[in-house]
Amino acid sequence: NKDKIYILSRDVVEVDLGSLRVDTLGFYFCNEEKDGFRLSFDGSMMVNAKKSVLELSDQDRVEWMAGEDIPVGESNGYYIIKNNEDFFGCGKVKEGKLLNYVPKSRRVY
C-alpha cells in the first residue's frame, strides 16, 4: 500500500481468511520516505525511543494537535513528538520548522 509499512502478529497465519474480504493486514506502523522512515501516529507510541525525540511545551503541543507547524531549533530530520509522558506522532524538521503530520481526523481545534 504505497510506501506504508504494516506490522502484524505471526499468529495471523492461523486465521482462516478465505471467507473474509481483506483490504490490508496488520497495524500501520510507518511510511518509508525518500529521506528516512516516518512513524505513524500510533507507531510513535509503540517504540521506546531515546533518540530523535522532540519534547514540546504545553503551548506547542496545543498548536501541534491543531495541525500547525512549530518553529524549533533542531537539526533536519524526523522526530517523535512528545509532551510530558505522552506521544503525539512524528514530524519532520526542515529549515528550523517542525512540519506537522497529524492526520486531520486526529486534530484538536
Side-chain angles (χ1 to χ4, degrees):
N1 193 2
K2 297 185 183 178
D3 295 320
K4 292 182 178 181
I5 296 173
Y6 293 81
I7 59 175
L8 64 144
S9 169
R10 293 175 194 237
D11 294 335
V12 74
V13 297
E14 299 188 23
V15 177
D16 179 18
L17 300 174
S19 62
L20 301 173
R21 184 176 145 202
V22 178
D23 291 326
T24 59
L25 284 176
F27 176 83
Y28 169 48
F29 183 69
C30 68
N31 253 29
E32 184 175 10
E33 305 285 343
K34 290 184 286 186
D35 53 353
F37 290 92
R38 180 173 52 88
L39 291 173
S40 70
F41 198 85
D42 297 320
S44 70
M45 296 178 204
M46 293 180 62
V47 297
N48 187 19
K50 303 291 185 220
K51 295 181 180 180
S52 298
V53 176
L54 185 58
E55 180 86 29
L56 296 183
S57 68
D58 290 340
Q59 180 60 40
D60 285 344
R61 177 193 45 86
V62 169
E63 293 175 18
W64 173 258
M65 289 305 296
E68 301 295 324
D69 294 339
I70 309 294
V72 293
E74 302 295 326
S75 58
N76 291 346
Y78 291 97
Y79 290 85
I80 294 174
I81 308 306
K82 184 177 180 183
N83 173 255
N84 299 319
E85 297 302 314
D86 299 316
F87 293 93
F88 293 91
C90 186
K92 180 180 180 179
V93 174
K94 185 175 180 181
E95 298 175 4
K97 191 179 283 188
L98 176 62
L99 305 178
N100 194 297
Y101 288 105
V102 175
K104 289 181 181 179
S105 63
R106 293 193 180 220
R107 291 183 183 172
V108 179
Y109 300 100

